[in-house]
Amino acid sequence: MKGFAQLTTLLLLILTLCVFVASCGDDDDDDNDDSVPPVDDDADDDVNDDVDDDVDDDVDDDIDDDVDDDISPETTEGFEYVPPGAFMMGSPVGERGREADEQQHQVTLTKHIEVKATEVRQSEFDEVMGFKPSHFSVPYAPKWPVEQVSLFDAMAYANKFSELAGKALCYTLENIICDDELQTEGDATTFCKDNGGIFEADVTINADNIYECEGFRIPTEAEFEYAARAGTTTSTYNGDIENNACSPLDPSLDAIAWYCGNADRRTHIAGTKEPNAWGLYDMLGNVREWTMDRYAKDYNGDETNPTGPADGYFYAARGCSCRFDGGARCRAAYRQGHSPNKHSRYVGFRLVRTMAPEEVEGFKVDFQFPTSGSARTDMEAPQRDLPSELPFTFTRDAVGTELTQQEIDDFTQKITGFFKEVNFFNWVLWHGHGVDESTGMFDYKLWWQDTDAVKENGVVTFRHTGNADNIMIRSGKIINNAAAGYLASGDPTLGRVVESYSKGIVSLFLSMDWDENDPEHDIMPRAHFTVNHCYTEEGDRETCVDYEPVRHPVESWNGHTVHNPNNPYWGNVWIRGWRSKDDMPHITRTLPMLMRVAQDGADPDVREWAGKAVEYLNAQAKDIADSGWYIRTKDAWGNQHVPLNYNEAIDPQYYIVADLASYEQYNIIVPDAECTSKLVSALMAYNNPLDVDCGSGFGSLYEVVAVMGHYFNAAIIRYFHIAATHVALMLGQDDIGYDLLVGLKDRADDIMYDDQGRTDYDEWDVDFAGYLLAAGTTGLPLTNEEARLVVEQYSLSVDHYAAWTFWDLWDDSIGDGNYGDYKPSSNIDGGGRAIRLPEMVYILEYCYSPLRNETSAPLVNCDIVLDPSRWGEAS
């Protein structure tokens, strides 16, 4: 590529050996996926990081008591005394990172308890249970917290520990099923120690309530937060956090917690960070910890000795982990939930015990609770007016011959005439689908792929045949341009597209709810297969949707299809998990237009759903930033996790983060790799770049190697760059936006004059034409040469698509039959490619954008483009 000639052959060879990036899908309207699985050489994998450079052999297993012995009753070795008391559980409004499920309320705990000073260590678990379940297992691991234990495993350990201590057991575990492929039946003696631990069990509390049992047990959610706070009222026991994400490093957390900002992606020796005032270590880091309470999104209000709801699917987990959990997740009030069968390398536990009256007889509670500071406000920017123009002057040298007015008029008539002739946005509504409002369920539409259209007796059935991995690439492009036309004209058809497709965005998030109390609402799947149904579209178009062919388990290198049997919105649904960064630039690119619709849309319903989509998209961006630049998914039991692959050539257990879900995989080799993907997430989440500095966003060596690995990576890189530029300017980050716009200009020059790329790829110029219009929405002024290329490529594409004869499958002239992929192919007979079909409407957003540069070379009459009633006119 032009601009990289100075790079040495040696460096390219090194990088090519180290990094091979392959697309997770193919943004091809023909849905031809000729990509291959990536060779994912994750230098920051979870196994090779297991060597602890900071190992302190002098750290004793028994942590010294930091509480004055004179005011503490005697405790079990390795445990600390925690007095009864009352506290405000949850977080105050305004606390940085606060979540909606942290309603503040008073809780009174009346029991004297002892709490294990550290998380249960691997050596301690092995000594009691007779097996080692942990993923992080190297010579120093015995002092590290045990993980990969289910809640049932933790309760089994508590029972055995109680037995060894001569205490009555708190739990009875029956009907035990082991976590192996055969689902082996377990027993209450060995507790599946040879079969992967406990996957399922019936549990009975051996007391009137959990606070009354004699032996050792798992803490309640209230006990955990009370113990973690140790009398403090700030977001951590070391003060309020300053940074929500993994970086910059948070000074309050660095002293007390191993989290994604400082843990080097692995657990550490338990008890090496600073304890709280009650002598408890790692309450907010190293591994998340099980509690005994079922998770509910709403607390019951002021309570004494609460035990959570009687029923529910998820159990609450507290604390935060050494990886994938940023500062916002390491607060005392933060709550997570997991199914009790979850075995994760980032989840462990500690024990507590209610002390008997004779153990605390005569003891007087006079512990002085420390306090510090007040809650900080969050990083989110205050409400501001959206920009109505490019906030600075930005020009380019005039290059090429300017289009004549006749050429502009001809192009205007041609492209808008095409929209009118094929009824393009009505076609989008007819063929887009999901669930129809006639079902009484939550309704939405999306632009699908891997779907056939079968016509029988006049009824068109959309039959889903494949994974539909990249539907948000197409859907995102449609949303932006329908929104632009709607804002300019108020056209009801365009408004309906915006509303139904905004609901489509929301529906993807909602499909990941495993029950009404699911704690994770900001995770988006690739696709969802909801309910089969039939309906009538626009009066007389009888339509059915058949998801059945894809409603079954699938495990492929780039995605998993799992069953969600109790979704609150559609009931029995199937989820295509492992959201990929292929779609993400187009998902993030919808934000500016949806923000404008939410503010300025003429119809209140359209405004409402655009606003809801914005809320979910911002939450998703926050989730990515707070996870350390990873895109989380959910497993077959509804548990959030980061997708992992493994490399059998190295080790069957050599798991690594799937490249498709990572924005930071290659930073160890190229520090600025995938920079704009991180930047746009940070800006969307916090209107703050955090510590991400992309400069111009162009010129990274990563781009060269990525595109060598797979051409489609060029689209991912280009559109992340566009998205970051547009979002920065929308949020008033003008300095960042200006630098990125310089990069868009340099990128356009590089593409324009790369003759080798044009030779290697048939779609080079059609992709470049789409890029130019998309970049033009952020203020890139097109040169005359570029404007001429856009007109040429879009005109040829109109000719190609206008010849398609099946735009209206319901028309009487089209007989019954299987029409396969019902969308016209972008492959041109005789060779070459047309503009991808969803990109044919890019001209609407280009014409509407308030950031469009007034110095851009003229190419179309935007007054006509933005007025559907005038489509087909020349001037």
Side-chain angles (χ1 to χ4, degrees):
M1 283 187 172
K2 183 181 178 181
F4 294 99
Q6 71 275 20
L7 297 175
T8 66
T9 302
L10 176 60
L11 188 54
L12 276 174
L13 286 173
I14 292 172
L15 281 168
T16 303
L17 289 172
C18 294
V19 186
F20 176 71
V21 184
S23 162
C24 312
D26 187 356
D27 182 18
D28 184 337
D29 296 312
D30 307 312
D31 303 319
N32 297 322
D33 187 356
D34 57 359
S35 60
V36 296
V39 177
D40 194 349
D41 188 6
D42 183 4
D44 64 347
D45 65 84
D46 292 323
V47 174
N48 283 7
D49 285 338
D50 287 349
V51 178
D52 192 335
D53 296 330
D54 302 317
V55 167
D56 181 0
D57 289 327
D58 296 328
V59 176
D60 190 78
D61 286 352
D62 300 323
I63 303 300
D64 291 336
D65 190 347
D66 287 288
V67 180
D68 188 345
D69 289 334
D70 292 336
I71 62 170
S72 300
E74 186 176 350
T75 59
T76 302
E77 184 178 0
F79 284 70
E80 297 291 347
Y81 170 70
V82 172
F87 77 112
M88 294 303 293
M89 188 174 182
S91 61
V93 174
E95 180 172 291
R96 183 188 294 271
R98 185 178 193 265
E99 299 286 350
D101 63 352
E102 299 171 10
Q103 307 93 339
Q104 202 168 40
H105 61 294
Q106 181 169 297
V107 168
T108 301
L109 296 171
T110 65
K111 303 296 183 180
H112 298 259
I113 61 173
E114 60 176 359
V115 180
K116 193 171 188 310
T118 68
E119 295 152 331
V120 173
R121 293 166 169 159
Q122 293 184 28
S123 58
E124 295 167 331
F125 189 89
D126 184 24
E127 183 178 354
V128 171
M129 301 299 289
F131 72 104
K132 303 175 182 179
S134 297
H135 168 79
F136 297 106
S137 183
V138 294
Y140 292 109
K143 296 182 179 181
W144 294 357
V146 69
E147 16 84 11
Q148 293 200 147
V149 283
S150 68
L151 177 57
F152 304 119
D153 293 327
M155 289 189 288
Y157 176 88
N159 271 4
K160 285 213 165 191
F161 194 87
S162 297
E163 189 174 34
L164 290 170
K167 306 290 185 184
L169 308 187
C170 284
Y171 310 107
T172 297
L173 277 68
E174 300 176 300
N175 300 320
I176 296 170
I177 303 297
C178 301
D179 191 22
D180 56 12
E181 291 185 4
L182 299 177
Q183 296 281 278
T184 304
E185 184 176 339
D187 60 70
T189 302
T190 63
F191 292 113
C192 299
K193 73 173 188 176
D194 297 320
N195 301 93
I198 305 174
F199 177 80
E200 188 177 305
D202 294 332
V203 179
T204 304
I205 304 297
N206 299 330
D208 290 340
N209 67 68
I210 195 67
Y211 293 96
E212 301 294 337
C213 78
E214 177 184 314
F216 292 88
R217 56 183 173 80
I218 310 304
T220 65
E221 195 177 0
E223 285 177 319
F224 187 97
E225 184 173 333
Y226 178 67
R229 290 187 178 280
T232 61
T233 59
T234 47
S235 59
T236 81
Y237 60 80
N238 194 37
D240 290 310
I241 63 167
E242 297 180 12
N243 300 310
N244 293 42
C246 299
S247 59
L249 184 65
D250 187 274
S252 296
L253 284 174
D254 189 34
I256 64 172
W258 295 114
Y259 78 116
C260 65
N262 62 9
D264 196 24
R265 306 172 177 87
R266 57 180 172 81
T267 58
H268 289 253
I269 293 174
T272 53
K273 289 289 186 178
E274 295 176 12
N276 68 13
W278 285 335
L280 304 177
Y281 294 79
D282 298 322
M283 293 296 290
L284 302 178
N286 228 359
V287 290
R288 293 180 221 121
E289 300 181 34
W290 286 111
T291 77
M292 271 304 301
D293 290 0
R294 289 182 171 89
Y295 174 87
K297 64 182 178 182
D298 295 319
Y299 290 121
N300 289 329
D302 295 353
E303 289 186 292
T304 298
N305 297 335
T307 56
D311 299 302
Y313 180 73
F314 294 99
Y315 279 76
R318 287 304 196 104
C320 76
S321 76
C322 60
R323 193 174 189 190
F324 308 133
D325 283 348
R329 298 177 186 159
C330 297
R331 297 172 299 110
Y334 182 71
R335 310 171 67 203
Q336 293 179 320
H338 302 304
S339 63
N341 59 12
K342 182 178 176 68
H343 288 82
S344 167
R345 68 195 65 180
Y346 305 113
V347 179
F349 68 100
R350 74 179 70 218
L351 297 182
V352 303
R353 182 178 69 87
T354 300
M355 301 181 77
E358 60 269 21
E359 295 180 84
V360 293
E361 185 177 0
F363 178 74
K364 186 176 180 180
V365 178
D366 58 358
F367 188 87
Q368 298 299 307
F369 295 132
T371 60
S372 63
S374 59
R376 299 176 185 269
T377 58
D378 212 332
M379 297 171 66
E380 296 174 2
Q383 286 255 314
R384 61 185 302 276
D385 291 334
L386 301 178
S388 58
E389 61 183 358
L390 194 65
F392 42 70
T393 300
F394 192 94
T395 60
R396 297 172 71 187
D397 293 338
V399 178
T401 303
E402 185 175 333
L403 290 162
T404 67
Q405 187 61 49
Q406 185 62 53
E407 288 174 312
I408 293 171
D409 289 346
D410 289 346
F411 177 60
T412 301
Q413 185 175 34
K414 185 165 196 169
I415 193 162
T416 62
F418 166 70
F419 299 154
K420 180 178 181 179
E421 180 66 26
V422 303
N423 230 342
F424 189 87
F425 285 100
N426 290 95
W427 179 89
V428 167
L429 288 171
W430 302 337
H431 294 78
H433 57 273
V435 171
D436 187 72
E437 62 184 351
S438 63
T439 63
M441 299 179 180
F442 182 86
D443 61 293
Y444 64 92
K445 288 181 182 287
L446 290 164
W447 179 301
W448 289 90
Q449 66 189 92
D450 301 334
T451 307
D452 291 346
V454 179
K455 185 174 183 180
E456 185 175 359
N457 297 324
V459 178
V460 174
T461 297
F462 296 114
R463 186 184 63 190
H464 288 249
T465 60
N467 297 323
D469 284 338
N470 292 330
I471 57 174
M472 277 307 301
I473 297 179
R474 289 87 170 168
S475 297
K477 295 172 182 178
I478 292 299
I479 288 169
N480 274 8
N481 291 276
Y486 169 70
L487 286 166
S489 68
D491 181 83
T493 297
L494 293 171
R496 188 175 168 220
V497 172
V498 177
E499 180 181 346
S500 60
Y501 274 65
S502 294
K503 285 183 171 182
I505 290 176
V506 174
S507 75
L508 286 163
F509 289 97
L510 296 181
S511 70
M512 285 291 230
D513 284 356
W514 252 248
D515 72 358
E516 64 277 2
N517 281 315
D518 195 309
E520 303 284 353
H521 303 289
D522 45 14
I523 297 175
M524 184 191 229
R526 284 177 172 271
H528 51 355
F529 310 116
T530 48
V531 295
N532 295 349
H533 61 291
C534 295
Y535 58 96
T536 301
E537 179 70 42
E538 289 197 358
D540 59 356
R541 287 177 171 79
E542 294 185 62
T543 309
C544 293
V545 182
D546 180 11
Y547 294 111
E548 209 56 40
V550 291
R551 288 167 56 89
H552 57 81
V554 175
E555 290 192 14
S556 52
W557 69 270
N558 63 340
H560 289 184
T561 303
V562 298
H563 190 200
N564 180 359
N566 298 303
N567 180 263
Y569 305 95
W570 304 284
N572 183 15
V573 305
W574 288 78
I575 306 300
R576 180 65 176 171
W578 290 35
R579 154 61 50 211
S580 167
K581 63 191 174 191
D582 287 26
D583 295 38
M584 288 305 299
H586 303 283
I587 293 170
T588 56
R589 257 192 16 95
T590 64
L591 183 74
M593 292 307 303
L594 287 173
M595 288 174 66
R596 292 192 184 277
V597 172
Q599 175 178 283
D600 300 329
D603 184 271
D605 290 335
V606 181
R607 286 200 307 272
E608 176 187 2
W609 286 106
K612 287 183 183 296
V614 168
E615 290 176 14
Y616 276 97
L617 293 174
N618 283 334
Q620 179 189 43
K622 183 178 183 298
D623 190 74
I624 291 170
D626 293 355
S627 298
W629 313 120
Y630 294 101
I631 307 171
R632 298 194 299 168
T633 189
K634 291 188 180 181
D635 64 19
W637 298 276
N639 297 302
Q640 55 77 18
H641 68 102
V642 174
L644 301 175
N645 284 321
Y646 67 94
N647 191 328
E648 287 185 293
I650 302 174
D651 187 311
Q653 298 302 314
Y654 190 85
Y655 286 93
I656 51 183
V657 173
D659 168 60
L660 60 85
S662 169
Y663 292 164
E664 66 92 52
Q665 197 88 305
Y666 304 107
N667 284 12
I668 195 169
I669 302 168
V670 184
D672 60 352
E674 303 187 82
C675 186
T676 52
S677 58
K678 293 190 279 286
L679 178 60
V680 72
S681 298
L683 293 174
M684 288 174 64
Y686 299 119
N687 191 15
N688 187 307
L690 303 179
D691 60 350
V692 181
D693 182 2
C694 298
S696 74
F698 174 68
S700 170
L701 183 57
Y702 163 80
E703 296 187 14
V704 179
V705 181
V707 177
M708 287 170 56
H710 197 290
Y711 168 68
F712 183 59
N713 287 314
I716 298 175
I717 293 165
R718 293 172 186 174
Y719 280 94
F720 266 129
H721 190 171
I722 293 170
T725 308
H726 204 165
V727 169
L729 294 174
M730 282 288 290
L731 298 178
Q733 297 281 356
D734 296 343
D735 290 343
I736 294 174
Y738 183 90
D739 290 343
L740 292 172
L741 194 54
V742 171
L744 290 179
K745 173 189 72 70
D746 293 342
R747 188 180 297 281
D749 291 339
D750 188 76
I751 299 170
M752 186 72 186
Y753 302 113
D754 188 345
D755 293 333
Q756 187 61 51
R758 194 165 281 109
T759 299
D760 291 343
Y761 304 107
D762 287 344
E763 58 267 64
W764 188 265
D765 278 338
V766 298
D767 288 348
F768 184 36
Y771 165 83
L772 288 169
L773 291 180
T777 67
T778 71
L780 178 70
L782 273 58
T783 67
N784 292 319
E785 188 176 36
E786 291 166 350
R788 191 168 289 278
L789 181 143
V790 169
V791 169
E792 176 184 294
Q793 294 300 322
Y794 271 81
S795 295
L796 290 171
S797 299
V798 168
D799 292 338
H800 168 70
Y801 288 121
W804 177 250
T805 57
F806 302 110
W807 286 101
D808 185 354
L809 289 175
W810 292 265
D811 191 275
D812 292 340
S813 65
I814 298 177
D816 289 354
N818 186 337
Y819 290 91
D821 187 349
Y822 47 87
K823 301 177 289 293
S825 169
S826 62
N827 292 319
I828 296 176
D829 292 342
R833 298 287 291 269
I835 301 289
R836 302 169 196 276
L837 186 58
E839 297 178 17
M840 288 296 293
V841 292
Y842 269 15
I843 199 72
L844 274 76
E845 187 186 5
Y846 174 79
C847 279
Y848 169 80
S849 176
L851 303 181
R852 180 162 58 91
N853 199 309
E854 62 181 12
T855 68
S856 192
L859 60 87
V860 73
N861 185 327
C862 284
D863 290 340
I864 294 175
V865 169
L866 295 176
D867 183 354
S869 69
R870 297 182 63 190
W871 283 353
E873 293 183 14
S875 62

